[in-house]
Amino acid sequence: TGLATTWGGIGTTITINNAAGVSLTQALTLNSNAGVGIVLPNGIFTLGSFNISIPAVGSITTPGTFSSTNMIAADGTGQLIKFIAGGSTPAFIYPIGDNTGTPEYSPVTIGINSSAVGGSIGVRVVNGTPPAPAVSNYLNRYWVFTTASLTSYNYTLSMGYNAADVVGSESAMQPSRYNGTTWSQIAG
């Protein structure tokens, strides 16, 4: 509360250092200035139904290691959105998780190997059964991605989860994509 919807001068950061956590009360876009970012030493930054957008030059860091006590809770309809420059981009950690009951850290790391033009990738996590699971081996957690303006891109992707999320046999699971109707296995 109290920040403008677009925020951040050169070298400015939002620091969340509150064990009780902080909740976003409106959508927030960080300016495209060098050194702009979010620092998460302690506390959960809850997005709720609001997006937070990080510029291509922006960062999200922690003095230690991201965990269920210092992450971005992106378990509502709000997404953590990162803008990506065209070309190749170093891997970016989306330090997200859910705070539905027990906080659980479920990060996503995306590296753009090549992209014809820049754009953005938004991510949120759902702590629940994936839509229409047609298999007996799956995670009781899934991630929702959105992209804007990216074309002809090649990427690497990793997602973290907890052992309690595994239903069935983890070794029998295959990465898959849901298009709203059917699941398709991701080649890789």
Side-chain angles (χ1 to χ4, degrees), residues 40-60:
L40 296 167
N42 182 32
I44 297 173
F45 188 12
T46 301
L47 300 184
S49 60
F50 303 103
N51 294 337
I52 187 162
S53 300
I54 310 296
V57 296
S59 64
I60 302 175

Side-chain angles (χ1 to χ4, degrees), residues 137 139 143 157 159 170-178 183-188:
N137 303 301
L139 293 176
W143 295 262
L157 173 69
M159 296 168 283
E170 185 177 35
S171 63
M173 292 180 191
Q174 297 293 325
S176 301
R177 179 181 178 271
Y178 186 66
W183 286 95
S184 59
Q185 187 173 338
I186 298 171

Side-chain angles (χ1 to χ4, degrees), residues 120-145:
S120 66
I121 300 174
V123 181
R124 66 182 178 90
V125 65
V126 178
N127 183 23
T129 304
V135 295
S136 56
N137 303 301
Y138 61 91
L139 293 176
N140 195 30
R141 168 172 312 277
Y142 61 98
W143 295 262
V144 177
F145 296 86

